[in-house]
């Protein structure tokens, strides 16, 4: 396709009536990627592309038989996939590496979405300032888009060669079509994009954006009240045509949502979502192999337990902060003209201390729980031909004083053949914890390979993780001390046959060993089978089986000890109705059986979805899980490990509702009540052979845990990049040993506990250097004209 230089003014109003559009070449003949891959789109689409010294302009006309065929439900920004709306989008692979792209989407309701497209999906956390408008006619709809060069990164050369693809979504028929054919059986849609070679003599502008903000807070916990007014600045600066500096000065995360906390009785750390904007926007480059888990930055103080263990006689803890304070953070990222991606992240958190008080002489002192800490991530990523790449990652955590430092280095690689049909990938990681007198070093190696494309694919995935490998000072690893091999066999169908639209089938065979001691851990198999009908109702079934006894080296939480997990099997299924309808329903249920009498797990969930109007929608979700005669760790005393047999019940109710006033103004409500309780019926001593033995251990480990969160958020995007948000939050957490007899009694008791309430207002204003410079130039020209 050719893009021509704009020769006259274009008004971004969605109508494509300006004379400049008449000179632009037309891209048409879209081809379906779904539901009938390879077939022509059912409706004609015409796309025109132009450029000037400031921006790229896209004009698209989406023809329809009648105007009322277009569905256009309003949705929040970046959240159109599950909404009942048509959409048009464009992907720009500006470095033509066939692996990375920027995506810009406009729905038929005029709502914008953008993101960074990578091999594993689209990162919607990335946001740019650009312009668009839509219009509707009796024969379809149209869109105009203006994407300033400040929103793009491209090489410094006179003639640009970009990968480009246009996408159209027709929601009523679930059609997704592209200008350049995208085969869903081939991985990496970016590698299947078309090409534009006719953009010439454009320059990257001074990419400087300032986002000053002011915020006000009012909060209350029990009888304690507080108010504050804060201000700060986020900065984005283009260091060159390819690299961008993102910095947050005086960070303000006061509107960050509370975590949806859960009762965790397992040996695996709960991984909570990152909700702080700076750490969600454009960080995918850094998060390779889970070596960067941003919740570590400004997270729980590393020595939080010191407050309790270092108390003197008659001392009590007055305050013990649950998180460290962040001084500042910045990240530099970009990609060179030779497709080399570079990234550097740095953050500094303040020293944190608990305050303790002597109740006899009424004196106080502080106990350091976290020293001044510096966090760093360095990434070098080289894109290669055939959708291949090789990367190097290093993370480091440097702490003042005697607390240990940490360092992790990793080499990652992915190679595929020219047809992208076969390939392999892997990595080698080394972790170090650096103490005053010694280092604790661990390693991890992963190697995977198989068939990548076609209806039938397979892969063999292997891991070797030493018992000392630990990247969790800045990364996330759920378990180490593991050797595994998993063989996956997948068969998918993409073209409709009979009443069936698509199918997905996967069967996996698993084998696990402990690294130290090098002994057998588990052998198992699993399967997942999904069918979507031409009515777009979906059903699925899943299962797994562990036919023999497994040696669980994680549950005892003691090096070298294991628990003999009895043979077990699970089966489950789900039904999901067509989301295009005003009412949709998701149902799911499963059951697990064990070789031990009376031990089982039952799960059930119900989630109705309501679309009352194109502006108002709601999703209610209920799920419950009962684990009968579940066995888990309770205590370790010297060399003795004790496990408890318990009935673990979990019930969750949640409601999400949104009202979209306009394409730039929305109100959302998210409420959730999580209730879990563990009722222990016996305690056993864990023998060295993994069996259990009756014991006289009698401590009470019963647990009744509640988490209630309510989050209400009003957002008004009053200009591109600028917004005002009003947030109300309410949270209640309770955790005790007294068990509740029924749900309603438990809920009433929970709501009577001390509550945390907060109300906040935050205004962010986007100031772009190019816009300001153009305004000054126009004013100067006007002044000169008047003088003349």
């Amino acid at each position: 396709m050719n893009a021509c230089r704009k020769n006259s003014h274009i008004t971004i109003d969605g109508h494509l009536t300006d004379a400049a559009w008449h000179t632009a070449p037309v891209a048409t003949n879209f081809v379906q990627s779904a539901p009938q891959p390879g077939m022509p789109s059912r409706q004609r689409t015409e796309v025109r592309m132009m450029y000037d010294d400031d921006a790229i302009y896209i004009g698209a006309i989406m023809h329809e038989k009648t105007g009322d065929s277009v569905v256009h439900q309003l949705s929040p920004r970046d959240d159109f996939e599950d909404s009942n709306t048509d959409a048009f989008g464009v992907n720009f692979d500006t470095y033509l590496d066939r692996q990375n792209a920027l995506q810009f989407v406009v729905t038929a309701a005029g709502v914008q979405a953008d993101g960074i497209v990578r091999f594993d999906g689209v990162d919607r956390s990335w946001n740019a300032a650009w312009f668009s408008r839509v219009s509707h006619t009796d024969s379809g709809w149209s869109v105009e888009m203006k994407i300033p060069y400040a929103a793009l990164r491209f090489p410094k050369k006179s003639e640009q060669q970009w990968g480009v693809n246009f996408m159209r979504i027709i929601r009523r028929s679930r059609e997704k079509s592209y200008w350049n054919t995208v085969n869903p059986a081939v991985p990496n849609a970016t590698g299947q994009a078309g090409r534009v070679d006719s953009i010439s003599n454009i320059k990257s502008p001074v990419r400087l954006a300032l986002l000053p903000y002011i915020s006000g807070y009012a909060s209350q916990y029990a009888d304690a009240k507080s108010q504050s007014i804060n201000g700060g600045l986020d900065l984005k600066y283009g260091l060159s045509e390819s690299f961008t500096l993102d910095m947050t000065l005086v960070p303000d995360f006061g509107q960050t949502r509370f975590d949806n906390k859960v009762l965790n009785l397992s040996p695996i750390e709960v991984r909570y979502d990152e909700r702080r904007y700076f750490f969600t926007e454009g960080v995918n480059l850094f998060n390779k192999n889970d070596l960067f888990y941003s919740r570590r930055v400004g997270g729980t103080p590393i020595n939080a337990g010191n407050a309790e263990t270092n108390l003197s006689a008659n001392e009590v803890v007055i305050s013990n902060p649950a998180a460290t304070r962040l001084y500042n953070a910045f990240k530099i990222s970009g990609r060179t003209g030779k497709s080399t991606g570079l990234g550097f992240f740095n953050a500094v958190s303040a020293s944190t201390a608990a305050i303790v008080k002597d109740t006899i002489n009424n004196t106080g002192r502080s106990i350091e729980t976290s020293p001044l800490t510096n966090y760093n991530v360095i990434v070098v990523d080289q894109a290669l031909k055939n959708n291949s790449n090789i990367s190097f990652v290093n993370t480091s955590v440097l702490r003042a004083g005697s607390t240990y430092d940490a360092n992790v280095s990793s080499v990652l690689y992915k190679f595929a053949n020219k047809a992208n049909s076969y390939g392999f990938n892997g990595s080698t990681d080394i972790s170090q914890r650096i103490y005053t007198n010694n280092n604790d070093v661990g390693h991890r190696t992963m190697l995977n390979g198989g068939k990548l494309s076609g209806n039938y694919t397979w892969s063999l995935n292997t891991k070797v993780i030493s018992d000392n490998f630990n990247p969790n000072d800045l990364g996330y690893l759920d378990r180490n001390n593991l050797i595994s091999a998993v063989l996956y066999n997948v068969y998918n169908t993409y073209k409709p046959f009979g009443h069936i639209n698509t199918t997905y089938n996967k069967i996996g065979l698993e084998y696990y060993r402990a690294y130290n001691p090098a002994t057998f851990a588990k052998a198992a198999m699993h399967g997942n089978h999904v069918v979507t009908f031409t009515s777009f109702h979906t059903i699925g079934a899943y299962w797994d089986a562990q036919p023999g006894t497994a040696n669980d080296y994680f549950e005892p939480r003691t090096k070298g000890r294991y628990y003999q997990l009895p043979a077990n099997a699970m089966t489950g299924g789900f039904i999901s109705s067509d989301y295009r309808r005003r009412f949709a329903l998701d149902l799911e249920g499963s059951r697990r059986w064990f070789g031990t009498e009376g031990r089982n797990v039952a799960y059930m969930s119900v989630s109705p979805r309501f679309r009352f109007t194109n502006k108002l929608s709601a999703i209610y979700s209920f799920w419950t899980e009962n684990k009968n005669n579940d066995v888990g760790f309770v205590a370790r005393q010297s060399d003795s490990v004790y496990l408890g047999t318990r009935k673990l019940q979990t019930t969750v109710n949640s409601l999400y509702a949104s009202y979209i006033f306009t394409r730039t103004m929305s109100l959302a409500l998210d409420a959730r009540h999580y209730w879990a309780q563990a009722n222990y019926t016996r305690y056993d001593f864990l023998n060295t052979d993994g069996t259990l033995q009756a014991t006289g251990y009698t401590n009470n480990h019963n647990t009744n845990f509640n988490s209630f969160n309510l989050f209400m958020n009003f957002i008004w995007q009053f200009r591109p990049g600028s917004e005002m948000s009003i947030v109300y939050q309410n949270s209640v957490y309770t955790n005790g040993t007294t068990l509740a007899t029924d749900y309603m009694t438990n809920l009433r008791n929970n709501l009577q506990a001390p509550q945390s309430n907060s109300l906040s207002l935050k205004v962010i204003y986007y100031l772009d250097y190019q816009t300001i410079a153009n305004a000054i130039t126009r004013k100067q020209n006007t002044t000169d004209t008047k003088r003349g």
Side-chain angles (χ1 to χ4, degrees):
M1 178 185 179
N2 290 323
C4 65
R5 182 172 279 273
K6 181 170 70 71
N7 56 19
S8 59
H9 177 72
I10 290 178
T11 300
I12 304 299
D13 56 13
H15 290 291
L16 275 76
T17 54
D18 296 299
W21 290 119
H22 301 159
T23 63
V26 180
T28 186
N29 299 325
F30 277 45
V31 177
Q32 293 185 49
S33 178
Q36 294 182 309
M39 297 294 292
S41 173
R42 293 181 177 90
Q43 304 296 332
R44 179 174 172 80
T45 304
E46 301 174 8
V47 184
R48 294 168 172 83
M49 179 174 169
M50 294 189 293
Y51 69 98
D52 60 15
D53 291 337
D54 299 317
I56 295 290
Y57 300 82
I58 305 291
I61 300 174
M62 278 60 67
H63 294 276
E64 286 284 356
K65 293 181 179 179
T66 59
D68 57 10
S69 299
V70 179
V71 291
H72 46 89
Q73 180 189 2
L74 284 163
S75 66
R77 194 182 197 277
D78 289 332
D79 191 20
F80 71 95
E81 279 93 344
D82 288 335
S83 298
N84 196 46
T85 182
D86 290 4
F88 171 82
V90 58
N91 288 6
F92 292 120
D93 173 12
T94 54
Y95 290 93
L96 202 62
D97 63 13
R98 299 296 187 184
Q99 298 182 44
N100 302 277
L102 297 177
Q103 184 180 89
F104 302 87
V105 178
V106 182
T107 74
V111 178
Q112 291 185 347
D114 44 27
I116 300 174
V117 183
R118 302 193 190 278
F119 185 81
D120 56 352
V122 182
D123 175 15
R124 294 282 176 215
S125 66
W126 179 80
N127 289 308
W130 49 289
F131 306 89
S132 63
R133 287 290 187 273
V134 301
S135 66
H136 292 257
T137 68
D138 292 338
S139 58
W141 66 289
S142 59
V143 60
E144 288 181 312
M145 305 161 67
K146 177 183 178 181
I147 304 169
Y149 294 138
L152 301 172
R153 301 178 189 178
F154 49 84
K156 185 178 182 180
K157 54 185 181 180
S158 58
E159 300 292 331
Q160 301 287 326
Q161 292 85 38
W162 293 1
V164 175
N165 215 350
F166 305 110
M167 173 190 71
R168 180 180 178 183
I169 295 174
I170 304 175
R171 184 65 176 175
R172 72 178 186 281
S173 58
R174 289 289 185 97
E175 179 185 306
K176 178 181 283 189
S177 60
Y178 291 88
W179 164 61
N180 208 65
T181 304
V182 172
N183 184 352
V186 176
N188 185 21
T190 300
Q192 303 177 62
R195 181 164 165 168
V196 172
D197 296 329
S198 54
I199 301 175
S200 60
N201 299 317
I202 63 173
K203 295 181 181 180
S204 180
V206 176
R207 292 186 292 115
L208 173 61
L210 303 177
L211 289 90
Y213 62 82
I214 185 170
S215 57
Y217 299 91
S219 60
Q220 177 178 352
Y221 179 75
D223 294 328
K225 299 180 180 179
S226 64
Q227 298 85 33
S228 64
I229 296 178
N230 303 323
L233 176 71
D234 289 348
L235 176 148
K236 295 177 182 290
Y237 176 60
L239 301 174
S240 68
E241 69 278 358
S242 301
F243 291 91
T244 301
L245 166 68
D246 291 275
M247 178 178 291
T248 179
L249 304 173
V250 194
D252 176 22
F253 302 126
Q255 290 194 328
T256 302
R257 292 179 58 172
F258 296 138
D259 288 324
N260 286 330
K261 294 187 176 180
V262 299
L263 174 63
N264 183 23
L265 300 178
S266 78
I268 299 174
E269 175 191 8
V270 176
R271 180 168 184 162
Y272 289 108
D273 293 336
E274 177 61 85
R275 301 182 187 276
R276 297 170 297 178
Y277 176 75
F278 179 81
F279 293 102
T280 61
E281 201 257 354
V283 296
N284 270 11
L285 175 65
F286 301 95
N287 191 22
K288 294 178 180 291
N289 261 14
D290 278 337
L291 296 181
F292 178 53
Y293 174 39
S294 57
R295 289 292 296 259
R296 307 288 186 207
V297 181
T300 303
I302 186 172
N303 298 316
N306 284 358
E308 296 289 345
T309 58
N310 288 282
L311 290 176
S312 301
N314 305 315
E315 283 187 329
V316 295
V317 177
I318 301 300
S319 66
N320 191 7
T324 57
R325 182 168 62 91
L326 195 63
Y327 278 144
N328 55 63
F330 72 87
K331 52 182 182 279
I332 298 172
S333 61
R335 191 168 293 274
T336 70
K338 295 183 178 181
S339 297
T340 302
L342 300 173
F344 177 65
F345 169 89
N346 176 268
V348 178
S349 63
S351 173
T352 305
I355 305 299
V356 300
K357 179 181 179 181
D358 189 308
T359 57
I360 300 300
N361 56 31
N362 204 33
T363 59
R365 66 186 179 98
S366 63
I367 299 175
E368 185 180 74
T369 57
S370 182
L372 178 73
T373 305
N374 185 279
Y375 303 88
N376 299 280
V377 183
I378 300 172
V379 180
V380 181
D381 173 45
Q382 179 62 57
L384 306 172
K385 65 179 182 179
N386 300 334
N387 195 34
S388 304
N389 61 66
I390 186 168
S391 305
F392 171 77
V393 180
N394 177 264
T395 69
S396 62
V397 180
L398 306 175
R399 301 181 174 97
S402 60
T403 305
Y404 71 89
D405 298 331
N407 188 286
V408 180
S409 294
S410 176
V411 175
L412 306 90
Y413 51 88
K414 182 180 70 173
F415 296 99
N417 63 355
K418 186 175 182 179
N420 224 15
S421 55
Y422 289 90
F424 66 93
N425 65 83
S427 63
T428 298
D429 312 74
I430 302 293
S431 71
Q432 298 182 78
R433 286 188 166 181
I434 305 166
Y435 298 90
T436 303
N437 298 319
N438 67 293
N439 292 351
D440 191 3
V441 180
H443 62 86
R444 173 177 63 181
T445 301
M446 296 188 288
L447 179 61
N448 315 311
K451 186 174 183 289
L452 305 178
S453 61
N455 294 87
Y456 172 68
T457 60
W458 63 267
S459 66
L460 177 62
N461 300 350
T462 63
K463 293 181 183 179
V464 178
I465 309 175
S466 72
D467 53 331
N468 290 328
F469 180 73
N470 191 343
N472 285 354
D473 290 276
L474 191 50
Y476 178 87
L477 178 69
D478 58 359
R479 58 186 68 189
N480 55 15
N481 193 28
L482 177 69
I483 300 175
S484 69
V486 182
L487 176 63
Y488 293 103
N489 291 272
V490 179
Y491 187 82
N492 299 330
T493 61
Y494 302 99
K495 294 185 178 181
F497 58 96
H499 294 290
I500 294 176
N501 192 39
T502 60
T503 65
Y504 169 82
N505 297 276
K506 179 172 74 171
I507 295 177
L509 304 176
E510 311 167 32
Y511 181 78
Y512 300 92
R513 295 178 65 85
Y515 179 86
N516 183 22
T519 56
F520 169 80
K522 184 177 78 169
M525 60 186 72
H526 67 267
N528 193 8
H529 315 278
V530 180
V531 176
T532 299
F533 297 98
T534 52
S535 61
F536 295 102
H537 299 307
T538 300
I539 62 172
Y542 49 88
W543 55 271
D544 67 50
Q546 175 201 305
T549 301
N551 296 326
D552 186 345
Y553 282 89
F554 303 104
E555 190 60 47
R557 305 173 207 193
T558 304
K559 189 172 184 177
R561 302 296 298 275
Y562 63 92
Y563 161 64
Q564 288 193 4
L565 180 67
N568 62 87
M570 180 273 292
T571 183
F574 69 88
I575 299 173
S576 180
S577 67
D578 183 6
Y579 285 4
R580 297 172 303 171
R581 301 184 181 276
R582 289 189 175 274
F583 173 78
L585 181 65
D586 292 329
L587 299 173
E588 185 175 357
S590 66
R591 187 173 180 85
R592 183 178 297 278
W593 297 265
F594 287 82
T596 303
E597 184 178 356
R599 184 171 181 178
N600 57 70
V601 180
Y603 171 86
M604 186 269 289
S605 71
V606 179
S607 181
R609 308 168 66 99
F610 306 90
R611 191 177 76 255
F612 302 102
T613 68
N614 278 339
K615 295 185 175 184
L616 177 63
S617 61
I619 303 172
Y620 169 72
S621 178
F622 166 84
W623 67 265
T624 183
E625 182 181 64
N626 293 319
K627 295 183 176 181
N628 295 309
N629 291 320
D630 182 57
V631 176
F633 173 88
V634 291
R636 182 173 59 247
Q637 297 178 352
S638 187
D639 293 331
S640 299
V641 178
Y642 297 94
L643 303 186
T645 300
R646 62 208 176 195
K647 182 175 183 180
L648 182 58
Q649 297 175 292
T650 305
T651 302
V652 180
N653 283 276
S654 63
L655 173 66
Y656 174 80
S658 66
Y659 187 87
I660 315 299
F661 298 94
T662 69
R663 62 186 181 84
T664 58
M665 189 183 298
S666 63
L667 176 67
L669 167 71
D670 197 346
R672 171 184 178 268
H673 176 228
Y674 173 98
W675 175 39
Q677 63 176 10
N679 183 9
Y680 286 85
T681 57
R682 59 177 290 169
Y683 301 102
D684 293 293
F685 174 80
L686 178 65
N687 296 317
T688 55
D689 64 356
T691 60
L692 300 179
Q693 177 182 327
T695 179
Y697 182 88
T698 58
N699 287 9
N700 181 12
H701 290 275
N702 287 349
T703 302
N704 187 62
F705 178 90
N706 283 270
S707 170
F708 177 85
N709 286 348
L710 186 149
F711 179 85
M712 185 176 291
N713 186 21
F714 171 81
I715 295 179
W716 174 33
Q717 296 166 334
F718 53 87
R719 68 187 302 268
S722 304
E723 70 174 36
M724 180 188 75
S725 58
I726 302 174
V727 173
Y728 171 73
Q729 297 195 70
N730 171 272
S731 66
V732 187
Y733 300 120
T734 60
N735 190 6
T737 59
T738 302
L739 302 180
T741 56
D742 61 83
Y743 181 85
M744 294 307 299
T745 300
N746 172 77
L747 180 61
R748 283 194 297 270
N749 292 338
N750 182 58
L751 295 179
Q752 291 173 1
Q755 301 184 15
S756 176
N757 294 276
S758 69
L759 178 66
S760 60
L761 167 67
K762 187 173 185 178
V763 178
I764 303 174
Y765 196 85
Y766 180 86
L767 296 172
D768 174 55
Y769 170 86
Q770 200 63 38
T771 302
I772 296 173
N774 290 343
I776 293 174
T777 300
R778 286 195 299 270
K779 184 175 181 180
Q780 185 64 48
N781 291 339
T782 301
T783 303
D784 292 344
T785 300
K786 289 180 178 178
R787 288 175 178 173

